[in-house]
Amino acid sequence: MWIQTFTPAQVLEIHQRFHRHSALDVNMEALKFICEQVNHNSRCFESNLLPADAIQVAAEYASQLQRQRWLESRTQQSETALIVAITYLRLSGYIVDCHDPRIFHLMKRCKVNRQPFEMALYWSFTRQELPLSIDYAGSFNRPRLPYTQMGLDNYQGTARLRACVDEVFNLCCFNQDASVWNNHYAEVEAEQRHLAKILPAQVKYGFA
């Protein structure tokens, strides 16, 4: 059987494989609901008769796994959300770098709306520089990726899933040195200070 989306057991496998001994217990009923929702949405994004491509599904996983409560720790929940999304892309044949903390930062900012993070994944996939913030009013049109399917229904598929999680684990931003994260947070704080300065003028004179 060929599947297009993860089962709850496979998301659980990714969560436990990534967090290892520190992995918290999962509410499987909530996780089952999320997986059913992603599976359903992957067939009808934007009322499009075509199946969703891999980046749309990956961004939907990131959004749904952050938005809904299925773990006691919001931090661990967000980390798993990113790893599930990147693992999904890797299994679909698309290698997306996630070593830059910005991709984690952008995912958390876009949890209510998957489209901006979908664009961030595409920028990362095409090796474009990631912004610190995403303009929600902008256009998020992009070329569609070729349709892919993942065969994961047997022991070989499980081994492949685990190997992909390990690859993502070794290359993701969570393994970066503290200095990388400190530089990232310094950039975020500088951006927030800049926005705080220009906001009063924008409110007074209107947005450009």
Side-chain angles (χ1 to χ4, degrees), residues 69-81:
R69 195 61 182 261
W70 55 279
L71 270 180
E72 287 302 315
S73 167
R74 285 289 189 184
T75 299
Q76 198 169 109
Q77 186 168 310
S78 293
E79 291 171 352
T80 296

Side-chain angles (χ1 to χ4, degrees), residues 51-124:
D53 70 8
I55 281 186
Q56 285 174 308
V57 177
E60 182 73 0
Y61 271 118
S63 174
Q64 296 290 350
L65 288 170
Q66 282 191 100
R67 190 186 312 168
Q68 305 188 47
R69 195 61 182 261
W70 55 279
L71 270 180
E72 287 302 315
S73 167
R74 285 289 189 184
T75 299
Q76 198 169 109
Q77 186 168 310
S78 293
E79 291 171 352
T80 296
L82 178 61
I83 298 308
V84 168
I86 301 300
T87 300
Y88 184 87
L89 286 171
R90 186 170 285 262
L91 282 165
S92 299
Y94 300 103
I95 309 303
V96 172
D97 291 333
C98 60
H99 64 278
D100 188 342
R102 290 188 187 198
I103 198 165
F104 186 57
H105 172 76
L106 290 171
M107 183 194 70
K108 290 195 294 183
R109 290 188 64 175
C110 300
K111 67 182 178 182
V112 178
N113 181 357
R114 69 162 175 81
Q115 286 183 304
F117 185 60
E118 177 189 325
M119 202 64 216
L121 287 175
Y122 181 74
W123 286 330
S124 187

Side-chain angles (χ1 to χ4, degrees), residues 16-204:
Q16 293 177 336
R17 187 78 177 177
F18 178 72
H19 288 289
R20 304 180 190 255
H21 65 277
S22 63
L24 297 175
D25 290 337
V26 168
N27 181 333
M28 286 304 293
E29 285 302 311
L31 192 58
K32 180 180 178 182
F33 175 78
I34 291 169
C35 289
E36 288 174 349
Q37 214 167 13
V38 174
N39 186 276
H40 171 74
N41 289 346
S42 71
R43 287 156 173 75
C44 57
F45 280 140
E46 284 92 42
S47 301
N48 194 333
L49 297 179
L50 296 172
D53 70 8
I55 281 186
Q56 285 174 308
V57 177
E60 182 73 0
Y61 271 118
S63 174
Q64 296 290 350
L65 288 170
Q66 282 191 100
R67 190 186 312 168
Q68 305 188 47
R69 195 61 182 261
W70 55 279
L71 270 180
E72 287 302 315
S73 167
R74 285 289 189 184
T75 299
Q76 198 169 109
Q77 186 168 310
S78 293
E79 291 171 352
T80 296
L82 178 61
I83 298 308
V84 168
I86 301 300
T87 300
Y88 184 87
L89 286 171
R90 186 170 285 262
L91 282 165
S92 299
Y94 300 103
I95 309 303
V96 172
D97 291 333
C98 60
H99 64 278
D100 188 342
R102 290 188 187 198
I103 198 165
F104 186 57
H105 172 76
L106 290 171
M107 183 194 70
K108 290 195 294 183
R109 290 188 64 175
C110 300
K111 67 182 178 182
V112 178
N113 181 357
R114 69 162 175 81
Q115 286 183 304
F117 185 60
E118 177 189 325
M119 202 64 216
L121 287 175
Y122 181 74
W123 286 330
S124 187
F125 172 62
T126 54
R127 303 293 192 271
Q128 297 181 54
E129 184 178 355
L130 289 169
L132 272 174
S133 60
I134 291 180
D135 179 8
Y136 285 82
S139 171
F140 296 107
N141 293 328
R142 62 169 177 81
R144 280 182 59 85
L145 301 180
Y147 180 55
T148 58
Q149 290 180 315
M150 303 179 298
L152 294 169
D153 62 326
N154 55 28
Y155 70 94
Q156 291 177 325
T158 301
R160 184 169 164 235
L161 174 68
R162 291 173 178 174
C164 284
V165 175
D166 290 345
E167 290 169 4
V168 173
F169 175 79
N170 291 326
L171 297 172
C172 74
C173 59
F174 305 123
N175 284 328
Q176 289 284 18
D177 294 336
S179 60
V180 174
W181 282 94
N182 290 339
N183 290 339
H184 167 67
Y185 285 128
E187 290 179 355
V188 171
E189 290 172 3
E191 182 206 27
Q192 290 173 341
R193 288 195 297 270
H194 173 69
L195 292 175
K197 287 180 180 178
I198 66 174
L199 184 60
Q202 288 178 331
V203 171
K204 183 176 181 180

